[in-house]
Amino acid sequence: MSSLGSPKTAFDKSALSGEHPLPLYMQLARHLRGLITSGSLGERDALPGERELAEMFEVSRVTVRKALRELSAEGLLSQRQGAGTFVNRNPHVEQSLSALTSFTEDIAARGMSAGSRWISRATGPASPEEALALGLSPGAQVAKLRRLRLADGIPLAIEFAVLPARFLPEPEALDGSLYQALRARGYPPFRALQRLSAVCLTPEQSRLLEVADAAPALHIERRSFLEDGTPLELVRSQYRGDAYDYIVELNLV
Ligand code: 16G
């Protein structure tokens, strides 16, 4: 149950209006979505039944059903046959864009435990694009690491990292933090360039991240360098759009 009191007290019938151009089920979904993202409805809170919600908001059960279906598709609710409808856990991470930190450090700093599930890892030849990004000759050997990154067991991002093989000759032996392993080998990441863009997840990515098909995500490409400017890693990742905010500090120049 959320710390903000009973979910029932948070429901506000006046959030819906027959005069509004949006269909009622969308207005209801928007209201409930707001309660979930603001924390008024907390992790694992149970929602009242369909009939009760319909009475509370003075709408039909069909409207309630459509709104709940929409939020389930977005991954904000779980509907369990016979048990009811529950708010999903929704970890939210605010990340500074100016600090060069690892996933493990970012998640630990928020009091959660970072984890990874391997999708694949191997040493092999660099693609022309990877060779270009890493300043290697075409076909040079690189370590390729594909991981699902988790916070408290919940999938947050898919990461595909490519590094010149000499920095990580045995990708199969990597257990835990990549940055920790690189620092331990004397190759600490010193500087990085990052490009962010908005994408819709592919069906495979949606499945891995346990979100609705084609859900929005942040595509982040990071190129990290050693202090002497040698390219260290090229990482392409998809971060769940509902779980990550990137914060940029702007100063007067
Ligand atoms: C972050 C980095 C990624 C790096 C990883 C290492 C972004 C967009 N990416 O996820 O480039 O490889 O941390 O994490 O921030 P680890 O040390 O926990 O394995």
Side-chain angles (χ1 to χ4, degrees):
M1 184 74 53
S2 109
S3 56
L4 300 175
S6 155
K8 277 190 193 169
T9 58
F11 296 135
D12 179 10
K13 185 183 130 356
S14 70
L16 274 63
S17 154
E19 312 288 301
H20 197 282
L22 270 186
L24 282 171
Y25 84 92
M26 282 196 192
Q27 293 182 48
L28 179 56
R30 186 173 61 176
H31 177 54
L32 297 176
R33 191 184 295 112
L35 295 179
I36 295 170
T37 51
S38 68
S40 303
L41 284 178
E43 178 187 329
R44 296 199 198 103
D45 271 351
L47 255 55
E50 232 172 68
R51 189 165 47 86
E52 207 181 327
L53 281 171
E55 279 166 13
M56 232 185 279
F57 286 95
E58 295 177 14
V59 293
S60 73
R61 287 180 68 165
V62 175
T63 298
V64 172
R65 207 168 301 146
K66 280 175 86 173
L68 298 185
R69 207 180 299 142
E70 177 128 335
L71 295 174
S72 303
E74 290 170 22
L76 292 174
L77 293 178
S78 295
Q79 293 184 282
R80 283 180 236 141
Q81 205 69 43
T85 304
F86 298 88
V87 174
N88 269 338
R89 287 207 286 166
N90 197 25
H92 205 91
V93 176
E94 287 194 350
Q95 172 67 29
S96 161
L97 264 181
S98 54
L100 177 54
T101 48
S102 72
F103 183 87
T104 304
E105 290 159 345
D106 295 341
I107 297 304
R110 285 157 186 86
M112 294 183 275
S113 105
S116 292
R117 204 175 300 148
W118 286 103
I119 302 170
S120 61
R121 52 178 155 170
T123 303
S127 71
E129 187 207 353
E130 291 160 357
L132 196 67
L134 294 170
L136 301 170
S137 347
Q141 290 292 297
V142 287
K144 302 191 182 201
L145 316 171
R146 215 181 281 273
R147 293 183 285 176
L148 184 64
R149 309 302 313 258
L150 315 164
D152 280 351
I154 299 166
L156 277 197
I158 303 167
E159 273 185 357
F160 180 39
V162 183
L163 300 91
R166 70 186 174 103
F167 297 132
L168 197 74
E170 284 183 87
E172 299 79 14
L174 181 68
D175 181 27
S177 166
L178 171 64
Y179 277 13
Q180 208 177 318
L182 291 171
R183 287 181 196 127
R185 293 180 49 79
Y187 304 120
F190 181 78
R191 190 176 75 85
L193 281 176
Q194 227 163 258
R195 178 198 296 267
L196 283 82
S197 45
V199 290
C200 287
L201 295 170
T202 64
E204 169 67 0
Q205 292 166 342
S206 312
R207 187 185 61 74
L208 285 167
L209 289 172
E210 297 172 16
V211 292
D213 255 7
L218 277 173
H219 177 87
I220 306 180
E221 184 176 305
R222 178 185 283 196
R223 282 201 289 145
S224 314
F225 304 87
L226 296 175
E227 191 168 3
D228 67 2
T230 307
L232 177 62
E233 63 163 2
L234 167 68
V235 187
R236 280 157 291 181
S237 349
Q238 292 76 41
Y239 280 77
R240 266 175 52 180
D242 62 339
Y244 250 83
D245 283 349
Y246 270 87
I247 312 292
V248 190
E249 184 182 303
L250 305 174
N251 291 304
L252 194 62
V253 283

